[in-house]
Amino acid sequence: MENLASFISAFIDLLSINVILLMLGSTALGVIIGALPGLTATMGIALLTGLTYNVPLEYTFTILMGVYVGGIYGGSISAILLNIPGTASAAATALDGHQLALQGKAETAIKVTRLASIIGTLIGVLALALLAPPLTKIALQFQSTEFFVLALFGVLICGSIAAEDLSIKGWIGGLIGLSIAFVKIDNIEGVARFTFGNPNLLSGISVIPAMIGFYAIPEVIKAFSNDDPLEVTEAKDISTEKVNVLMTVIKKFRVIVQSALIGLGLGALPGVGEDVAAWVSYDTAKKTSKEKEKYGKGSYEGAIAPEVGNNAAIGGATIPLLTLGVPGSPPAAVLLGALTLHGIRPGPMINIESPGFISQIAALILLAVVALWVVGVILAKPMTKILKVPKVYLMPIVAALSVIGSFAIGLSMFDLTMVFIFGVLGFFLSKMAYSPAPIVLGLILGGMIDETFRRSLIAHNGSFSSFFTRPIALIFLILIVLTIAKQIFDNRKQVKSKV
Amino acid sequence: MEKKAMRRADLITSVVLLIYSIGMFVMSVNLVLKTLSKGRMWYQSAGLFPTIVATFTFLCAISLMRTAFKDGADFSFLTMDNAKKLIKSKEFKVSFIIIGLLAMYIFILLPITWLRYEFSTFIFLFTFMIIFNKKDIKSIIKTIVICIIATGMLTYGFGQLAMIPLP
């Protein structure tokens, strides 16, 4: 009750004209970013983090949360109208959403997914407001051992799930990210590690420029690799069938609750995020549906499930971000960078060092939901024109924005070098089906994993016993072993089936 | 990328990763030895976890190489003819041009102290758009106008609104 009261109070405090207008604008920007293929919510937050560096804290997170919520929803618009998801989290929505558009129900499909997104985000935000504060109390019991195994598990599971081709590529991505994180002066021993005498590397690789490099630059390069023109379906209903959007969504209550729980759970898993939540929600809804045969042919359930799942994952991903300092998704990973930049230290101490911050973030997401409803109605029809913006004009601007966005963080030309290097590396890795998610998560968590591992050993005089005697650490250790064992077993099964 | 080409690429990647992991392993072990020589314990060393990561990277690289071989990849594709085919492919040319444009912007235009950010950015945007756009007068004029607007918005947005010193 106390948490709910704090959440409601934080929401009321937010209701100033500046914040409302800023939220409407940033949510609209998020929807457009999410809708445009090649741009993602992660990219949008990363690029805007630099822009908001000198902006007061409350406005910064208004903008970033608006872009986050708008971006996750926005992907569904291009999924429906173009059959190209604007974000990976909308890939499952395209399966039934575009079919509905082809049946002349584009406008209804957009309205249904918007309502599903709003419901999913609402459930996520309630979970954040109610569960996160008590979780910080549990997290206060965590020692170095628990943080080590949790963060390591996060990188491992992210690698396993996010891998596009072979799972080993996801793990290699995570290991690459970890090794990049080692480049700096070590905090425990005070020695320079892998800096090769370059003074710019002594403080380590800056996360935001690296993320912009991995997420934005490859998309700019890939956009020009094919000449296929986009076929945009008009965002209006041609079919004469009258559909009550509210009743259509409410009738799927079971799917909504199921997908929301999946989204919350998967969103809370470090690094996994909205993409996986959407697919698992879709897959589970299909398997448990009485109308399985309609999936893929224009089923409203097929469009609702992934949108509820991916938006519930926003709240889910924010829970470990704020309570443990471990981001639950790539956009949450960028938010971690933004939080650190503004002097907020997420983790078990957040309620002590920044009291009320969790409720404030939850309230911002709730405000973003309201903004999404307004913006979604206004932007629905103009989106057709927006989606037709030629990439020859859009992508060079994204490239220039990536450069200035990276520079804005540290005002360092060296950060631009990092954007370039990681951009080129990210492009080649993406061509070989390496997902950027485990690389970036490894980069973000690498320092924490290394330091907590050694601190745990130092505290126990070199003994590994704490990893086996502390219950939470043991649980995660077992999960790590099972994840590795499953992968080895799956690989052997695959090899045997080829033979 | 089709599977056969992917596995060939994986083969090359696995070799790169093997070299990378061995290099990292050697540097990490050196750090551990330095720690021990100072009379400190091995678990305090900055090289401890990198040693573990290097080892796992090596093992993953071996696994990747094994998978690539099992799927039929081998090193026989590394010929001059294939290299020429790759260089002449549209995808390679496009990637090379864009990477070149980014390098020009970041390493040449922006560091020139007497060239203001607005002009560097306009030159970058205009060059980028004109290379990939139609070359008729109408498109060129449209490109110029869009570049001016985009440059103006970036300069105003970051320089004035966000008060960030521009490069």
Side-chain angles (χ1 to χ4, degrees):
Chain A
M1 280 307 288
E2 191 192 318
N3 297 328
L4 191 60
S6 172
F7 168 55
I8 294 168
S9 165
F11 183 74
I12 293 168
D13 287 342
L14 276 181
L15 298 176
S16 71
I17 193 76
N18 285 346
V19 170
I20 291 170
L21 287 175
L22 211 48
M23 183 58 86
L24 283 168
S26 56
T27 309
L29 181 64
V31 171
I32 293 169
I33 288 173
L36 288 167
L39 303 185
T40 61
T42 309
M43 207 195 289
I45 299 170
L47 293 174
L48 286 171
T49 298
L51 188 64
T52 57
Y53 184 56
N54 285 324
V55 173
L57 193 67
E58 58 178 292
Y59 296 150
T60 296
F61 288 98
T62 303
I63 293 169
L64 296 181
M65 298 317 291
V67 168
Y68 189 2
V69 173
I72 297 299
Y73 162 66
S76 66
I77 297 180
S78 50
I80 291 166
L81 299 180
L82 288 174
N83 201 24
I84 300 173
T87 56
S89 60
T93 310
L95 296 174
D96 282 279
H98 189 63
Q99 290 302 314
L100 284 165
L102 292 175
Q103 290 164 20
K105 300 173 194 168
E107 193 178 340
T108 304
I110 288 175
K111 285 178 182 172
V112 163
T113 52
R114 184 170 65 234
L115 184 55
S117 296
I118 286 169
I119 294 171
T121 317
L122 270 172
I123 295 172
V125 88
L126 275 172
L128 171 64
L130 299 176
L131 295 179
L135 267 175
T136 55
K137 290 182 183 149
I138 297 171
L140 277 169
Q141 311 299 320
F142 279 27
Q143 290 181 3
S144 297
T145 313
E146 281 82 8
F147 279 111
F148 165 69
V149 279
L150 171 66
L152 186 65
F153 173 69
V155 176
L156 197 66
I157 200 75
C158 179
S160 296
I161 294 176
E164 295 163 19
D165 178 28
L166 306 166
S167 282
I168 199 86
K169 289 186 177 181
W171 292 355
I172 289 172
L175 289 166
I176 291 173
L178 287 174
S179 55
I180 296 171
F182 295 147
V183 179
K184 61 176 195 167
I185 290 184
D186 177 51
N187 285 344
I188 294 177
E189 216 188 349
V191 297
R193 197 168 48 178
F194 312 130
T195 58
F196 303 103
N198 187 335
N200 291 305
L201 291 173
L202 291 175
S203 53
I205 308 277
S206 196
V207 170
I208 302 289
M211 289 191 82
I212 290 174
F214 276 120
Y215 277 106
I217 303 298
E219 293 305 320
V220 171
I221 302 172
K222 283 193 281 190
F224 292 93
S225 297
N226 76 69
D227 287 328
D228 300 335
L230 297 175
E231 287 181 34
V232 187
T233 310
E234 288 291 323
K236 59 183 180 193
D237 281 346
I238 300 166
S239 162
T240 50
E241 185 192 341
K242 290 284 172 209
V243 176
N244 184 318
V245 171
L246 186 63
M247 288 316 296
T248 303
V249 174
I250 287 174
K251 271 185 201 166
K252 308 297 176 190
F253 182 73
R254 181 193 63 83
V255 168
I256 288 171
V257 171
Q258 179 181 277
S259 303
L261 289 173
I262 290 170
L264 273 171
L266 288 176
L269 274 183
V272 174
E274 295 83 10
D275 311 356
V276 175
W279 275 112
V280 175
S281 299
Y282 179 85
D283 202 44
T284 310
K286 186 177 176 185
K287 282 179 179 155
T288 55
S289 175
K290 291 174 186 164
E291 306 169 336
K292 282 189 193 50
E293 67 289 345
K294 288 187 183 172
Y295 276 69
K297 294 173 186 162
S299 158
Y300 286 113
E301 255 186 36
I304 289 167
E307 285 303 306
V308 170
N310 70 18
N311 279 269
I314 295 173
T318 315
I319 294 173
L321 167 67
L322 295 176
T323 59
L324 297 169
V326 175
S329 67
V334 191
L335 283 174
L336 177 61
L339 285 166
T340 314
L341 213 56
H342 287 271
I344 304 283
R345 203 162 58 126
M349 300 294 285
I350 194 168
N351 267 343
I352 298 164
E353 291 172 1
S354 310
F357 189 75
I358 293 177
S359 299
Q360 202 179 353
I361 292 290
L364 281 171
I365 299 176
L366 180 61
L367 189 61
V369 166
V370 176
L372 183 64
W373 178 68
V374 173
V375 155
V377 170
I378 297 169
L379 282 181
K381 294 216 168 103
M383 278 316 291
T384 314
K385 289 206 170 76
I386 292 170
L387 287 172
K388 286 179 180 168
V389 169
K391 63 187 174 190
V392 72
Y393 299 125
L394 178 65
M395 288 321 220
I397 296 172
V398 169
L401 191 55
S402 302
V403 169
I404 188 62
S406 310
F407 181 80
I409 305 297
L411 302 180
S412 161
M413 292 301 289
F414 186 72
D415 283 343
L416 299 188
T417 309
M418 290 296 101
V419 166
F420 180 78
I421 291 173
F422 289 124
V424 173
L425 178 64
F427 170 65
F428 286 112
L429 288 174
S430 72
K431 290 301 292 176
M432 291 184 290
Y434 286 84
S435 166
I439 303 174
V440 167
L441 193 66
L443 172 59
I444 290 170
L445 296 180
M448 182 209 233
I449 292 174
D450 173 34
E451 284 171 28
T452 49
F453 179 60
R454 282 187 288 152
R455 286 210 175 99
S456 182
L457 289 173
I458 289 167
H460 295 89
N461 294 320
S463 167
F464 288 90
S465 60
S466 63
F467 296 105
F468 302 101
T469 54
R470 294 185 67 83
I472 294 173
L474 183 60
I475 290 169
F476 277 108
L477 201 59
I478 291 169
L479 286 171
I480 287 169
V481 169
L482 285 174
T483 307
I484 297 172
K486 182 182 181 298
Q487 209 42 62
I488 294 171
F489 177 74
D490 285 347
N491 277 351
R492 289 224 164 123
K493 208 170 150 186
Q494 224 174 15
V495 165
K496 273 187 187 153
S497 67
K498 279 181 196 156
V499 168
Chain B
M1 204 190 272
E2 52 141 333
K3 194 177 175 185
K4 206 174 173 183
M6 181 75 78
R7 291 295 167 259
R8 286 177 185 162
D10 287 344
L11 200 54
I12 303 294
T13 314
S14 63
V15 171
V16 171
L17 280 170
L18 281 171
I19 297 168
Y20 172 80
S21 60
I22 290 168
M24 192 163 119
F25 185 85
V26 167
M27 287 192 285
S28 307
V29 167
N30 270 339
L31 284 170
V32 175
L33 291 173
K34 270 187 193 158
T35 304
L36 293 173
S37 69
K38 287 175 192 168
R40 294 199 196 120
M41 302 307 290
W42 58 273
Y43 47 82
Q44 292 174 306
S45 176
L48 173 63
F49 202 67
T51 308
I52 297 170
V53 168
T55 308
F56 276 105
T57 307
F58 184 86
L59 293 171
C60 287
I62 295 285
S63 176
L64 186 66
M65 189 180 260
R66 195 164 156 261
T67 306
F69 277 133
K70 276 198 151 60
D71 282 349
D74 55 42
F75 290 105
S76 61
F77 73 95
L78 289 171
T79 60
M80 279 308 290
D81 282 340
N82 280 337
K84 281 179 188 167
K85 229 190 257 179
L86 175 68
I87 290 166
K88 284 182 183 163
S89 69
K90 185 194 170 204
E91 203 176 349
F92 182 87
K93 284 181 190 167
V94 164
S95 315
F96 187 77
I97 290 169
I98 297 174
I99 291 169
L101 284 166
L102 279 165
M104 175 192 79
Y105 184 42
I106 291 171
F107 299 116
I108 298 173
L109 291 174
L110 287 177
I112 297 176
T113 44
W114 51 263
L115 190 64
R116 288 172 64 97
Y117 169 77
E118 298 87 311
F119 295 114
S120 306
T121 304
F122 177 84
I123 293 168
F124 167 70
L125 287 175
F126 182 74
T127 314
F128 200 149
M129 289 181 193
I130 217 72
I131 287 174
F132 292 101
N133 205 357
K134 295 180 207 161
K135 309 283 189 286
D136 55 83
I137 294 290
K138 195 177 166 191
S139 298
I140 292 173
I141 293 171
K142 196 173 174 184
T143 302
I144 292 172
V145 169
I146 290 172
C147 288
I148 290 171
I149 294 171
T151 305
M153 284 175 71
L154 285 170
T155 308
Y156 181 72
F158 281 87
Q160 301 297 319
L161 285 181
M163 294 181 289
I164 287 160
L166 297 172

